[in-house]
Amino acid sequence: MSLTPNRRLLVVVLLVPLVVTLALWAFTWPAARTAPRDLPVGIAGTAPAADRLQQRFEERDGAFDVHRYGSEAAARAAIEDRTVYGAVVVTAEGPELLTASAGGTVIAQLLREAVTAGAPAGSEVPVTDVVSAPAADPRGAVLGASLLPLAIAGVAAGAAVTLLRLRGARAGVALLGVAVVVGLLATAVTDSWLGALTGDWWSEAGTIALIVLAVGAPVAGLAALLGTPGIGIGSLLMVLLGNPFSGVTSAPELLPRPVSVIGRLLPPGAGGSALRSVAFFDGAAAAVPALTLGVWAALGLVAVLVGGRRRTAADTTAPEPVREPALAG
């Protein structure tokens, strides 16, 4: 049913402000509620000093999830495995802080402030950056800024496949091709040129390609099943919710709990975690987010194939238009 001009005008006047309000809420509300929530941290050392330190962390009402380790080496290994964001080593001379700025400079600064606040007045807490951010990007800004363009690339691929009426296998090949090319080019920019990613080049390219595919395939799949409105639904899900809920600029544990859970299940959040692991931690803790991306990509491609078959079947069964016989002149 087509809408009258007045109704179309009303849709525009109401829909655009609604989308803008949704975007404003999605981007600003999590930022306004940033605080540690079950943030994994380690404590290495023996009682009673380590016990007192653990008690101080636990007094922060669920802010920290404390892991105990018997030695500094074990705490370092836990940081490198991305089990914890940092650790405090209790020594006879006082506490020492181990951080990983590559895991998030915001977290490293937060831990530094928390440990310094509990240290004796006038004392200085030594800090060791176990997994440091690259010198070319010491604040980790490039990785955080990369997720939005990658999400937009995925949405653009899904929209292009739909608007160009590519169906079935052709649509799947197009989505895979875009993902591979974007993965290669994006890695060339962020790793080879900017030096902001320092992991294995091909692993980074594969991860970026998987991120783009995990966004683009569901968008194209929704459009194949629902028609053009599926592009809008996919865009809202991946960009307006997925990007601000990803926690890639800080950490998921700093976002409100419903947001952090949703963000880790969406491709931008899972992609940011996987790319950080591959780029700085030799792939540690990348399995779960990579699996999440794979599930999104697979579901999207299946939807593309199913939707393409349905449309092809509908086209072949549609009755041909009746032609009027030509009148003899």
Side-chain angles (χ1 to χ4, degrees):
M1 181 180 66
S2 60
L3 298 177
T4 64
N6 287 337
R7 289 184 177 180
R8 290 199 296 268
L9 172 63
L10 184 62
V11 168
V12 172
V13 171
L14 294 178
L15 185 60
V16 173
L18 179 62
V19 172
V20 171
T21 302
L22 174 63
L24 186 64
W25 167 79
F27 278 85
T28 59
W29 177 62
R33 298 293 184 268
T34 297
R37 296 171 177 85
D38 290 328
L39 185 72
V41 297
I43 295 178
T46 57
D51 291 338
R52 289 196 297 270
L53 181 60
Q54 178 175 351
Q55 184 177 2
R56 285 204 300 270
F57 272 111
E58 292 175 345
E59 287 174 354
R60 295 284 297 272
D61 192 21
F64 297 99
D65 177 20
V66 179
H67 298 241
R68 291 293 295 267
Y69 300 100
S71 65
E72 178 181 344
R76 284 176 175 268
I79 293 173
E80 293 169 351
D81 291 340
R82 299 201 70 189
T83 303
V84 295
Y85 282 97
V88 184
V89 181
V90 179
T91 67
E93 293 76 20
E96 297 179 5
L97 177 61
L98 307 177
T99 63
S101 59
T105 55
V106 174
I107 297 293
Q109 181 62 31
L110 184 151
L111 291 177
R112 186 178 291 109
E113 293 173 355
V115 174
T116 301
S123 63
E124 184 176 347
V125 178
V127 179
T128 301
D129 201 353
V130 177
V131 185
S132 59
D137 184 29
R139 294 180 178 83
V142 171
L143 189 147
S146 298
L147 262 294
L148 180 58
L150 295 180
I152 292 175
V155 170
V161 163
T162 303
L163 298 178
L164 293 175
R165 297 183 180 179
L166 296 176
R167 297 177 182 172
R170 285 189 178 88
V173 170
L175 292 167
L176 287 169
V178 169
V180 169
V181 174
V182 171
L184 295 174
L185 294 178
T187 307
V189 171
T190 55
D191 186 312
S192 303
W193 179 37
L194 297 176
L197 304 183
T198 58
D200 178 75
W201 200 95
W202 291 105
S203 297
E204 293 168 353
T207 302
I208 292 174
L210 185 57
I211 294 170
V212 175
L213 183 62
V215 174
V219 171
L222 286 170
L225 297 174
L226 305 176
T228 305
I231 299 175
I233 296 173
S235 301
L236 289 173
L237 183 64
M238 300 298 178
V239 177
L240 292 188
L241 294 182
N243 192 70
F245 287 8
S246 67
V248 69
T249 57
S250 55
E253 291 85 359
L254 295 185
L255 301 179
R257 280 194 173 86
V259 169
S260 64
V261 173
I262 296 171
R264 288 186 231 201
L265 295 176
L266 293 175
S273 180
L275 186 58
R276 191 184 297 278
S277 292
V278 168
F280 307 124
F281 293 87
D282 295 327
V288 172
L291 178 61
T292 302
L293 294 173
V295 170
W296 276 102
L299 291 176
L301 291 174
V302 169
V304 167
L305 295 175
V306 171
R309 289 181 179 178
R310 286 170 53 185
R311 289 181 178 273
T312 301
D315 291 343
T316 56
T317 57
E320 294 186 3
V322 177
R323 296 181 180 180
E324 295 290 339
L327 297 177

